[in-house]
């Protein structure tokens, strides 16, 4: 959540500092067009890569994300086994549900 808030504030600062300069260079309609393209790219990313979590508890979300055999961390691309990522208690619950 902190990373998301920081990114939001950072992008807002970048847009605020550059908006008038870019508007003078290329015009308002092109600036709006560029912002529209960036917004559509962000929407496409969310639709394709972010899973739906509406109505799910945090435990259910954790279980669904941990069901993958391997997960790559986005910063260093190191694969980790799911057993390291899934808490032991949730793993026991999953086994009990299967039985």
């Amino acid at each position: 959540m902190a990373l998301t808030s920081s990114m939001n504030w950072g992008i807002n600062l970048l847009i605020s500092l550059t908006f008038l300069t870019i508007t003078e260079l290329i015009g308002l309609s092109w600036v709006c067009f560029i912002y529209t393209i960036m917004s559509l790219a962000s929407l496409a990313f969310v639709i394709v890569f972010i899973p739906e979590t509406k109505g799910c508890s945090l435990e259910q979300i954790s279980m669904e994300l941990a069901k993958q055999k391997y997960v790559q961390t986005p910063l260093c691309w190191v694969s980790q086994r799911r057993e390291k990522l899934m808490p032991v208690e949730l793993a026991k619950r999953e086994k009990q549900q299967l039985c």
Side-chain angles (χ1 to χ4, degrees):
M1 193 69 152
L3 178 64
T4 304
S5 295
S6 299
M7 289 293 293
N8 187 23
W9 279 92
I11 296 299
N12 287 335
L13 177 65
L14 182 68
I15 289 172
S16 298
L17 292 175
T18 61
F19 180 77
L20 292 176
T21 306
I22 293 175
T23 303
E24 289 176 3
L25 291 175
I26 63 174
L28 182 61
S29 60
W30 283 105
V31 172
C32 290
F33 178 72
I34 291 170
Y35 290 158
T36 302
I37 296 300
M38 291 185 334
S39 296
L40 291 175
S42 298
L43 178 64
F45 174 82
V46 168
I47 290 172
V48 172
F49 292 108
I50 306 298
E52 177 62 47
T53 58
K54 182 178 180 181
C56 296
S57 68
L58 291 177
E59 289 180 349
Q60 291 171 332
I61 295 169
S62 177
M63 290 289 286
E64 288 298 318
L65 293 176
K67 282 183 181 177
Q68 298 174 359
K69 188 170 184 173
Y70 292 97
V71 176
Q72 291 183 339
T73 57
L75 296 177
C76 59
W77 297 96
V78 176
S79 294
Q80 299 176 0
R81 290 192 154 291
R82 80 174 192 171
E83 292 82 16
K84 291 181 182 178
L85 297 174
M86 187 184 323
V88 176
E89 184 179 287
L90 293 176
K92 289 179 185 176
R93 288 183 191 174
E94 182 180 33
K95 287 180 185 177
Q96 289 173 352
Q97 289 175 354
L98 294 176
C99 296

